[in-house]
Amino acid sequence: MVEDMDRNGIHAGILSLASTPGVWFDLGAADAARIARACNEYAAEMVRDQPHRFGFFAAVSMLNVNSTLTEIEYAFDALKADGIGLQSNYGDTWLGDPLYKPVLDELNRRKAVVYVHPLVPTSCSALSVGAAPAVIEVPHDTTRTVTSLLLHGSFAGFRDIQWLFSHAGGTVPMMAGRISAFYGSRSDLEKFWPNGIVEELRRLHYDTANATSAPSIAALTRLVRLDYPPRI
């Protein structure tokens, strides 16, 4: 891996297992927690071997809140992880769901970087128009989980989490105005976006993986504030 990085002029990389299928493979919570621990210890060993070339986002199962909190503690305090890698949904439950509030509480307390990678939700895997499910459903699932976090107040309530979403935000740049038009004037929800919905979406971080076309980058750069100082 280091040789490949050198050939391509890459100084450092972040190890992560947040992509499909993460660590759970439809297994139970105990097995998922065991796999997460093994993967995190392996990643930490890679960082120790090449401390100037690698960092890592720790894997957690999210299938059991208590074991997830235990792994977060171990990953940050013992393994010195640089952040946590999450999937956009777990068993068709998106990240804004109240089930995950204790996890977000702890990540907020630690001012953690939280990298979110999408996957095809089970409920949408059969929505095929002849394309592989990942072609359409993966970018849309980033938008689902961002909207879930927005409408449940998670962005407002966990202000110290540094969110990083994959693939230029999926379809968030294209959908931001529509989401704002439907919910921006809701007085019962306005506490969730004190400066407006679009401003909440602007303050998030987005990577540019798979956003390789000019329209994708153009949409993202029209949404985000390029003059914001980086927090990550």
Side-chain angles (χ1 to χ4, degrees), residues 137-219:
E137 288 305 322
V138 159
H140 279 293
D141 213 56
T142 291
T143 306
R144 289 188 188 99
T145 210
V146 167
T147 306
S148 169
L149 289 160
L150 180 75
L151 297 182
H152 283 87
S154 300
F155 291 143
F158 305 110
R159 214 59 172 171
D160 288 327
I161 292 177
Q162 300 182 61
W163 297 98
L164 172 60
F165 292 95
S166 294
H167 311 148
T171 59
V172 166
M174 283 68 73
M175 299 290 289
R178 186 175 180 87
I179 296 167
S180 180
F182 273 78
Y183 293 103
S185 60
R186 286 274 299 270
S187 59
D188 58 323
L189 299 177
E190 62 184 9
K191 62 181 179 294
F192 293 159
W193 39 80
N195 298 309
I197 287 176
V198 172
E199 192 64 25
E200 285 301 299
L201 301 178
R202 279 178 174 163
R203 63 182 297 276
L204 306 176
H205 297 86
Y206 304 92
D207 78 16
T208 55
N210 284 347
T212 53
S213 69
S216 297
I217 293 297

Side-chain angles (χ1 to χ4, degrees), residues 14 45 48 78 80 98-99 102 107 116 133 153-154 184 224:
I14 297 291
E45 182 178 354
R48 285 193 295 270
K80 309 304 179 185
L99 172 67
L107 294 173
V116 181
S154 300
V224 298

Side-chain angles (χ1 to χ4, degrees), residues 1 13-20 22-23 39-40 43-44 46-47 54-60 82-87 114-117 164 166 207:
M1 187 181 297
I14 297 291
L15 306 167
S16 170
L17 281 178
S19 186
T20 306
V23 298
C39 291
N40 290 336
M46 290 182 68
V47 175
F54 294 118
F56 83 102
F57 292 154
V60 293
D82 297 283
I84 297 293
L86 298 180
Q87 294 172 324
V114 177
Y115 168 60
V116 181
H117 190 283
L164 172 60
S166 294
D207 78 16

